[in-house]
Amino acid sequence: MINFQYLRTTSAKSALALLQKDKNSKFIAGGTNLIDLMKRGVTAPEKLIDINHVPLKQIELIGTKIHIGALATNSAVADHALIKEKLPLLSWALQAGASAQLRNVATVGGNMMQRTRCGYFYDTEMPCNKREAGSGCGALEGFNRMHAIFGTSDKCIAVHPSDMCVALVALDAEVVLLGPKGERKILFKDFHRLAGDTPQLDNNLKPDEMIVRVEIPLNNLAKHSYYLKVRDRASYAFALVSVAAGLELEDNKILSAHLAMGGVAHKPWRLTKAEEFLKGKEATEENFAQAAKLSMENAKGFGENNFKLKLAPNTIIEALNLAKRKA
Ligand code: SF4
């Protein structure tokens, strides 16, 4: 680990000013991923700007949207009465992530910015295009059991590790970013990127911007939603496959379906075709199976992760069944 300068700030404006002053600086809040990356030599910022005292911890209903500050901890969001009542899908997804100790310090913004857990990315002796552009991808023909089956490129097949982000995509969230020219808002589904030819870029945050909050519109999914995470052990494990499912039901008719997957792509993977197929249909096992089949178009395994080609559709069907029964 290299020496670095530690700075502390109490406002978003001063945090941005410090960031813009030195391109090789990074924000730190919970630090649950960043410190690992620094210890392993994957990243080496010269300055760490501690933003824990910037007032961005709000969780509140404003009009028809729930606003969650970037520095609200994962535990605070998961346990908040408003989130449990209105957005239980988000609460369950957060509870499925990491351990209680980590959730107590990890923040919403940090969760969004966490990096892949691909083993080659963390091993600086190994080739990895994400860590060092042009060095190759060790996982393509190597250990790739945890890796992507959708939206892959010949440069990188890593997955985004977050559970929270999968739920936020399914819930039509937006992200508010603050930069030198003020705030801009983007859809959560457009925040993270596919690897393409630039696997070093995980998301569309500009170098001189910071995440300030997430906004989630109220919906009618609370009665019929479920976050199903399939993993190697019951806690503190990343998803092999996860599904965030929300159904708006009238009798047994689906008025709208909200579906996203985790553990399968470089970004949370929205199942748009399945959502369109299910809209207006009966909530039956047959329709759920057809939705799962549609979701698997263009899926591709890389050897060790071929099992996901079966696990993923089965998880979609099960998540939809559990969401239907939830009420
Ligand atoms: Fe690196 Fe991506 Fe290949 Fe993993 S999958 S070794 S992160 S380039």
Side-chain angles (χ1 to χ4, degrees):
M1 199 159 164
I2 62 149
N3 288 331
F4 58 88
Q5 195 181 352
Y6 172 81
L7 306 164
R8 186 185 279 182
T9 184
T10 55
S11 78
K13 203 175 157 192
S14 67
L16 269 189
L18 287 169
L19 185 73
Q20 283 153 17
K21 225 167 149 186
D22 188 342
K23 293 270 179 284
N24 197 19
S25 55
K26 281 193 187 297
F27 293 137
I28 186 164
T32 57
N33 187 211
L34 180 57
I35 297 300
D36 281 347
L37 291 163
M38 291 172 68
K39 281 181 180 171
R40 303 240 194 152
V42 177
T43 189
E46 286 166 13
K47 287 181 186 165
L48 283 186
I49 305 163
D50 184 338
I51 53 173
N52 279 298
H53 298 277
V54 176
L56 291 173
K57 293 185 179 168
Q58 76 278 20
I59 301 170
E60 57 190 350
L61 178 63
I62 298 180
T64 57
K65 290 180 179 176
I66 293 176
H67 290 211
I68 303 175
L71 292 169
T73 65
N74 288 185
S75 300
V77 179
D79 295 340
H80 199 283
L82 184 63
I83 304 299
K84 283 182 159 176
E85 185 198 339
K86 306 284 187 195
L87 304 171
L89 183 59
L90 177 58
S91 179
W92 295 323
L94 281 162
Q95 284 167 16
S99 64
Q101 291 92 337
L102 287 169
R103 292 195 295 271
N104 284 343
V105 291
T107 62
V108 166
N111 193 320
M112 290 165 62
M113 295 299 291
Q114 67 177 306
R115 308 212 66 188
T116 184
R117 294 325 199 266
C118 171
Y120 298 95
F121 177 66
Y122 286 78
D123 186 343
T124 54
E125 300 296 312
M126 300 301 287
C128 172
N129 288 324
K130 185 179 279 295
R131 178 173 26 78
E132 190 184 338
S135 64
C137 171
L140 268 174
E141 294 181 6
F143 297 109
N144 53 38
R145 183 170 174 272
M146 300 296 289
H147 288 66
I149 55 173
F150 290 113
T152 52
S153 80
D154 60 359
K155 301 281 192 305
C156 178
I157 58 169
V159 296
H160 193 266
S162 171
D163 293 295
M164 177 195 80
C165 295
V166 180
L168 287 173
V169 164
L171 292 168
D172 294 326
E174 293 174 305
V175 190
V176 180
L177 308 170
L178 179 67
K181 291 182 185 162
E183 287 187 356
R184 73 177 174 116
K185 204 182 269 191
I186 59 171
L187 290 174
F188 201 94
K189 73 176 179 59
D190 297 328
F191 180 77
H192 294 99
R193 298 165 58 102
L194 289 180
D197 289 330
T198 52
Q200 69 276 16
L201 299 176
D202 294 344
N203 56 60
N204 289 312
L205 184 75
K206 293 178 185 160
D208 57 359
E209 288 181 322
M210 71 186 293
I211 303 164
V212 287
R213 68 180 175 278
V214 170
E215 296 182 3
I216 309 151
L218 293 176
N219 58 52
N220 295 318
L221 305 170
K223 274 189 186 170
H224 294 286
S225 48
Y226 203 86
Y227 188 74
L228 181 58
K229 179 175 181 178
V230 182
R231 47 187 158 175
D232 284 328
R233 54 178 188 269
S235 74
Y236 197 31
F238 292 99
L240 293 165
V241 168
S242 68
V243 174
L247 293 171
E248 191 183 352
L249 291 179
E250 192 176 78
D251 298 325
N252 201 41
K253 189 179 170 187
I254 301 169
L255 301 182
S256 70
H258 291 243
L259 285 168
M261 288 182 97
V264 294
H266 199 259
K267 59 187 285 186
W269 194 247
R270 186 138 199 187
L271 306 181
T272 312
K273 273 197 175 177
E275 291 176 338
E276 286 167 1
F277 170 78
L278 288 170
K279 190 172 179 180
K281 302 257 183 355
E282 291 292 306
T284 62
E285 185 80 22
E286 294 72 30
N287 284 333
F288 292 166
Q290 183 59 24
K293 193 176 169 194
L294 285 170
S295 302
M296 295 308 293
E297 283 176 4
N298 303 319
K300 181 185 168 192
F302 290 85
E304 288 188 346
N305 70 347
N306 286 351
F307 71 97
K308 290 191 182 185
L309 301 174
K310 280 191 178 172
L311 180 63
N314 288 343
T315 310
I316 295 170
I317 296 168
E318 185 65 4
L320 283 165
N321 274 319
L322 290 164
K324 176 184 163 181
R325 280 184 225 136
K326 194 68 194 169

